[in-house]
Amino acid sequence: MARAMLIKNGIALIHDSNNHVIPTKTDILIQDGTIAKLAGGIQATDEVEVIDATDKIISPGFVDTHHHGWQTQLKGRHANELLLQYMVTGNYQHAQYSPKDVFYGQVGAMLEALAAGTTTVVDHAHITNSPDHAKQGIAATASSGIRSVFCYTPMAIVKSFNPLTFHPNPLEEWVMRTFSELADQGPFGDGRVTLGFAWDQWFLGPDAVNSVFEKVTGKGVKTITVHGTSLFNVTQILKGYGLLDRRALISHGGNLTQEDADLIKEAGAHVSATPSTELQMSMGRPLCFDAAFPGDVAAGKRVGVQSNASLGVDCHSNNAGSIISEARIGLQNARNHFGEHYTHQGKLPKNLPDSLSVEAAFNLATIKGAEAVNLEQEIGKIAEGYKADLVLLDAMSPGMIGAAQHDPVAAIILHSSPADIDTVIVDGIVRKRDGKLLPISVDAGASGIVGKETLEWSEIAKEIVKSREVIQKETEKVDVAEAMGTMMGMWQVPAGLIVDVN
Ligand SMILES: [Zn+2]
């Protein structure tokens, strides 16, 4: 159990009952991983570790509601790619991963997220090539120290390339058996890592889908996450299967209509917008801000799904694994659409609506993320009784100076980088201190693969480099054009939909 801890003299970002952020000078006493007391002048005792937060802003830990943690070895390769290319050069490269590759990819991702201030992540873990692959994903997540809803993902497993073929049965006996075993074994990592469920294989039909979700529901899973795309209407599909409820977390949303948005809100379901990948990969406007939604903000209607939205990184193989960065990109993109809405009419807006404020962006990255995983009573804000998931940012850094003193929320959303994040605490345990990641304790589930009890970041980095080289060599052998053609045939992509701009 974590030691008691007292954070003194910081400026904490406290949410009031209307979810406004009130910067408040306060001490924070942490006991048993929980915020026990918020008050000025709390006296330290001998048993308590004191952290001096003078000149620090203390934020609730950030919540990332859509991430594929295994993809660290693929970073950089998608810089100029669109979704269909990524599917082959990214998603389908799961076939090149051994369980050991999964461990180092996953732990690298979770540490990148922690270093950037993310304390909770929803992992859409489509790396279930075998039971061992899933288990190493969980072991790596537990080892990192992050809080996670690790969503076990039955998937179409690539069997070979040139030509692209898949294992014929995506629901072999081991797939749901392993899910059941893991559900019975969890939670992992001292309770920080709980099992969720991810699913995209609607094409298997009602018998298979109903049978799968009978098991998922039977195990009491609280988060079911699915990809929304512009190729099919996942909101209606979820509704049709009786799955559109508080458990449902739809990433992207794609072609969401206003009717879909209303259904999502009525059901208490949530959306995860991932601005970087959505903007890059022609996946529709990020739906996290009302003004980005095709409703009429100008008419004063608060349409859209901002009330049920949150933010995700999606592919850290494509973009930085920082949820603050996603909040910034999403906000500025939505402001652009807001502005264009008027300039296209030959008008100029005088001010921004509250829904496009830095506070709104901050809330998407904190309390709205917590709501998306039904943990709003435990994480996402700094309050007594909440988990001690905290991020201390340096108010005196070159990036933050001036802004941090004027408006700490603006400083975080528009001026900060992961380098400004001095300390990260999850469940009352320090994971980053003085700007550096601390060594991790390797979870028992990975001890055979790692061969030692603790790992420094520098050791992890070397293993990622080695693993990346092997995976990259194999990827270079793949006939990408052939695989894309086969995939589009499988997906029944209509002829004439795809535009080749070269
Ligand atoms: Zn995704």
Side-chain angles (χ1 to χ4, degrees):
M1 186 49 75
R3 226 178 126 191
M5 191 183 291
L6 179 61
I7 306 175
K8 285 197 74 76
N9 301 320
I11 302 289
L13 302 181
I14 311 271
H15 284 94
D16 71 10
S17 55
N18 296 313
N19 288 338
H20 288 305
V21 180
I22 315 292
T24 308
K25 182 154 191 181
T26 183
D27 296 342
I28 302 176
L29 179 65
I30 298 168
Q31 288 174 329
D32 297 332
T34 299
I35 297 171
K37 191 173 178 188
L38 292 172
I42 302 176
Q43 292 300 312
T45 58
D46 288 347
E47 301 81 59
V48 169
E49 177 190 352
V50 176
I51 292 182
D52 179 10
T54 305
D55 293 326
K56 301 288 189 295
I57 294 166
I58 307 172
S59 171
F62 298 96
V63 183
D64 173 353
T65 58
H66 185 66
H67 201 134
H68 307 296
W70 59 275
Q71 296 184 339
T72 304
Q73 288 92 327
L74 313 183
K75 282 172 78 169
R77 62 171 64 175
H78 307 304
N80 300 304
E81 289 187 345
L82 292 172
L83 182 62
L84 296 174
Q85 294 163 301
Y86 154 80
M87 284 303 297
V88 172
T89 63
N91 188 303
Y92 291 168
Q93 299 310 313
H94 64 251
Q96 320 287 11
Y97 274 61
S98 68
K100 184 175 177 180
D101 295 323
V102 176
F103 177 86
Y104 282 106
Q106 183 76 20
V107 83
M110 295 302 102
L111 291 175
E112 182 192 9
L114 278 166
T118 299
T119 54
T120 297
V121 65
V122 178
D123 214 296
H124 187 132
H126 47 26
I127 188 66
T128 318
N129 308 8
S130 76
D132 275 350
H133 285 72
K135 287 171 188 171
Q136 288 310 314
I138 291 171
T141 307
S143 301
S144 75
I146 207 164
R147 191 180 301 286
S148 169
V149 181
F150 187 95
C151 295
Y152 182 87
T153 314
M155 51 189 251
I157 301 168
V158 170
K159 190 174 176 188
S160 62
F161 292 101
N162 315 331
L164 175 67
T165 61
F166 291 84
H167 285 275
N169 179 10
L171 285 175
E172 279 181 0
E173 187 274 333
W174 64 267
V175 175
M176 291 310 290
R177 175 170 47 80
T178 303
F179 162 75
S180 294
E181 287 169 6
L182 292 170
D184 291 342
Q185 286 165 22
F188 306 89
D190 294 329
R192 292 185 311 275
V193 181
T194 57
L195 202 67
F197 193 77
W199 182 258
D200 290 312
Q201 302 194 82
W202 306 109
F203 63 89
L204 293 177
D207 287 352
V209 173
N210 287 326
S211 156
V212 161
F213 281 98
E214 209 172 288
K215 294 189 181 79
V216 172
T217 299
K219 293 295 179 188
V221 164
K222 293 195 180 73
T223 296
I224 295 168
T225 192
V226 302
H227 281 107
T229 78
S230 52
L231 289 177
F232 55 89
N233 187 322
V234 80
T235 308
Q236 295 291 347
I237 292 172
L238 284 167
K239 185 166 182 277
Y241 280 110
L243 296 169
L244 191 66
D245 55 35
R246 282 178 58 81
R247 297 174 297 172
L249 175 57
I250 300 168
S251 49
H252 318 311
N255 58 351
L256 212 68
T257 64
Q258 184 57 52
E259 185 194 347
D260 297 332
D262 290 340
L263 284 172
I264 287 168
K265 287 188 281 190
E266 274 167 33
H270 287 85
V271 167
S272 176
T274 67
S276 286
T277 51
E278 290 165 7
L279 290 169
Q280 177 179 330
M281 299 193 178
S282 308
M283 291 160 73
R285 286 182 191 174
L287 302 173
C288 43
F289 293 97
D290 287 353
F293 197 80
D296 193 358
V297 173
K301 288 187 220 158
R302 280 289 170 263
V303 296
V305 284
Q306 186 163 352
S307 63
N308 290 52
S310 59
L311 291 165
V313 159
D314 195 5
C315 302
H316 71 292
S317 52
N318 183 72
N319 43 266
S322 157
I323 216 66
I324 298 173
S325 169
E326 291 310 301
R328 179 181 308 153
I329 290 166
L331 177 67
Q332 302 297 50
N333 171 65
R335 286 172 168 181
N336 176 43
H337 284 297
F338 172 80
E340 279 190 342
H341 174 82
Y342 290 98
T343 53
H344 285 166
Q345 301 169 49
K347 294 177 180 173
L348 204 58
K350 193 169 77 175
N351 56 315
L352 286 167
D354 290 345
S355 62
L356 289 181
S357 65
V358 289
E359 183 183 74
F362 182 79
N363 283 346
L364 284 167
T366 53
I367 53 173
K368 306 307 288 182
E371 288 173 13
V373 286
N374 300 307
L375 290 175
E376 66 272 19
Q377 301 299 323
E378 297 179 50
I379 61 167
K381 59 171 81 165
I382 300 174
E384 290 178 1
Y386 273 63
K387 302 283 190 195
D389 292 1
L390 301 167
V391 175
L392 278 60
L393 296 103
D394 183 0
M396 302 297 277
S397 73
M400 299 281 280
I401 195 76
Q405 291 73 29
H406 184 79
D407 179 347
V409 172
I412 290 171
I413 295 298
L414 295 181
H415 297 270
S416 75
S417 79
D420 300 317
I421 295 177
D422 179 89
T423 302
V424 177
I425 299 168
V426 185
D427 227 25
I429 299 174
V430 177
R431 299 296 178 178
K432 185 184 187 187
R433 192 193 291 275
D434 298 331
K436 286 213 158 55
L437 287 166
L438 299 184
I440 61 166
S441 300
V442 176
D443 182 79
S447 57
I449 271 181
V450 175
K452 53 193 296 196
E453 287 181 4
T454 61
L455 281 173
E456 305 261 351
W457 169 254
S458 58
E459 298 172 289
I460 295 165
K462 282 180 191 145
E463 290 290 341
I464 292 170
V465 168
K466 273 200 285 185
S467 163
R468 192 204 79 89
E469 277 172 12
V470 175
I471 290 168
Q472 177 62 21
K473 280 207 181 84
E474 290 305 310
T475 305
E476 283 167 11
K477 297 176 190 165
V478 173
D479 181 342
V480 175
E482 183 283 325
M484 283 175 69
T486 301
M487 176 185 72
M488 286 190 275
M490 259 170 42
W491 287 5
Q492 299 177 324
V493 175
L497 180 71
I498 305 300
V499 180
D500 188 344
V501 294
N502 286 321

